[in-house]
Amino acid sequence: MNKVTVIGLGAMGTALANTLHDKGVQVTVWNRSAEKAVPLIAKGMRCAPNVAAAIEDSSLIIISVLDYLAVTAILHNAEESLRGKTLVNLTNGTPSQAREMAYWILQRGAEYLDGGVMVTPELVGGENAFVFYSGSASAYQQHQSILTLLGGPVYVGENIALAAIYDLALLSSMFGMFGGYIHAAALLRSEKIPVAEVTPMIMSLLNAMIELFPQTAQEIDSGVYPQPNSNNTMMTAGLHNILVASEEQSVRDDLIKPIWELFNQASRNGLGDKDISALPQLLTTKTRAKNIDAKKSCEQ
Ligand code: NAP
């Protein structure tokens, strides 16, 4: 049971393999470009000659590659060897990709867990690491002790699509923050202000804003919006000033304009006296493709 195969030796797969090996697990690895296995072989890991041999080596197979196209390309070369195995796919993807992959894997007599690693490779296995998993509860329970070695496992349910939704929701928050910071940096550069000089103040503001999220989340979930201190009409005016200043400073507004548009829509639709907790409802579209319904369980 203390054996794991790791497929994919990019930055993340290498970190996963190293972490398991360092914590006493017997690790077999495989990667499309074989040279990436060399340092791991030197540490005592086994490099399988092909994917099928890698899968045959362990009952638990972890795969972390660029995308689902790569996962499919790899596994289609070794589908016969999947029977009786558990595949944990830590490759970033969408809910429908997770469903299709689960269906394909189950057809081949294997168990499937979808997952998302929520830290960068250097943090894998550390105290701040956490990884989302969804899918077969029995497979998760069977392998939980090994998965725990990678960082706090967060099992979000049998619905195979959920790990992808959780993962992408967290990434949305992160990329939104990056977008704001990138725009801020461009504005500062337009006046030759060193970004490093202002970054501690940006961090201080963001840290203070993040403290408000639990209250905001409660309002979003309940649909009850108390009188805010910072209302949407006021914030729309501030966002408009960022757009005007950006044009004056010859800075593109692509990153900020959609945010202004959303706040502006809220202000025009009777939500000007609320705050950001009233905005997520405006992003929900009425038509929703069947295959992206996260509440629908995977048809196994
Ligand atoms: P990476 O360093 O760019 O490595 C990509 C891996 O995918 C390599 O093993 C590469 O093989 C393989 N690959 C790509 N196309 C392939 C194909 N067509 N067939 C077979 N193998 C293929 O990426 P990474 O950082 O390890 O990311 C892997 C996964 O972890 C991604 O889904 C990513 O979203 C997720 N993740 C990454 C981070 C991070 O900070 N790095 C954090 C959280 C989650 P070759 O070596 O042969 O090119």
Side-chain angles (χ1 to χ4, degrees):
M1 290 302 291
N2 204 21
K3 272 176 93 178
V4 176
T5 288
V6 175
I7 296 175
L9 295 177
M12 183 53 77
T14 299
L16 297 170
N18 275 324
T19 301
L20 292 170
H21 173 82
D22 293 348
K23 295 187 178 186
V25 178
Q26 209 177 315
V27 179
T28 294
V29 295
W30 182 86
N31 190 58
R32 178 180 62 174
S33 312
E35 69 274 10
K36 288 193 184 155
V38 172
L40 306 191
I41 295 167
K43 287 181 80 175
M45 290 178 237
R46 172 177 134 75
C47 177
N50 53 54
V51 194
I55 292 173
E56 275 152 23
D57 245 15
S58 319
S59 60
L60 176 61
I61 319 297
I62 296 176
I63 185 164
S64 171
V65 286
L66 181 66
D67 54 21
Y68 272 67
L69 272 179
V71 175
T72 305
I74 291 168
L75 295 181
H76 276 256
N77 284 327
E79 49 185 295
E80 299 298 321
S81 48
L82 284 166
R83 183 161 297 280
K85 309 291 182 179
T86 298
L87 183 82
V88 178
N89 184 9
L90 299 182
T91 303
N92 186 267
T94 68
S96 58
Q97 284 176 324
R99 278 200 195 90
E100 281 163 26
M101 185 58 67
Y103 184 76
W104 189 85
I105 293 290
L106 293 169
Q107 295 286 305
R108 271 134 201 94
E111 297 240 53
Y112 184 66
L113 287 168
D114 198 74
V117 182
M118 299 319 300
V119 287
T120 49
E122 64 275 20
L123 299 177
V124 168
E127 58 180 343
N128 292 322
F130 64 106
V131 184
F132 290 125
Y133 298 97
S134 59
S136 162
S138 61
Y140 175 73
Q141 278 153 15
Q142 190 186 345
H143 298 289
Q144 189 176 2
S145 57
I146 294 263
L147 298 176
T148 300
L149 302 176
L150 301 173
V154 185
Y155 178 72
V156 291
E158 291 251 1
N159 179 346
I160 197 71
L162 287 182
I165 295 267
Y166 275 70
D167 182 344
L168 296 175
L170 266 64
L171 288 183
S172 300
S173 303
M174 183 186 81
F175 284 121
M177 179 188 72
F178 286 167
Y181 183 64
I182 291 165
H183 190 86
L187 260 185
L188 293 166
R189 279 165 55 87
S190 73
E191 280 300 323
K192 299 190 170 38
I193 301 167
V195 178
E197 187 182 298
V198 185
T199 289
M201 296 169 234
I202 293 174
M203 291 168 65
S204 172
L205 175 71
L206 291 180
N207 280 327
M209 294 297 104
I210 280 170
E211 292 295 318
L212 303 176
F213 275 11
Q215 174 64 29
T216 302
Q218 208 172 42
E219 292 171 21
I220 294 169
D221 287 341
S222 67
V224 177
Y225 313 117
Q227 191 63 34
N229 288 324
S230 312
N231 68 60
N232 289 330
T233 300
M234 174 278 292
M235 290 194 273
T236 306
L239 277 159
H240 188 254
N241 288 336
I242 299 174
L243 295 185
V244 173
S246 299
E247 191 178 359
E248 289 170 0
Q249 298 294 121
S250 303
V251 170
R252 282 165 45 184
D253 63 11
D254 325 26
L255 290 172
I256 294 293
K257 197 165 185 181
I259 303 173
W260 167 77
E261 279 167 353
L262 187 68
F263 275 84
N264 196 31
Q265 183 193 352
S267 301
R268 283 189 282 105
N269 287 287
L271 298 172
D273 61 345
K274 310 292 185 228
D275 72 6
I276 64 163
S277 56
L279 301 190
Q281 59 183 303
L282 299 179
L283 291 180
T284 304
T285 55
K286 288 213 168 58
T287 49
R288 178 172 173 145
K290 259 194 204 145
N291 69 348
I292 59 165
D293 185 350
K295 289 199 177 116
K296 189 174 164 235
S297 289
C298 171
E299 288 167 9
Q300 297 182 354

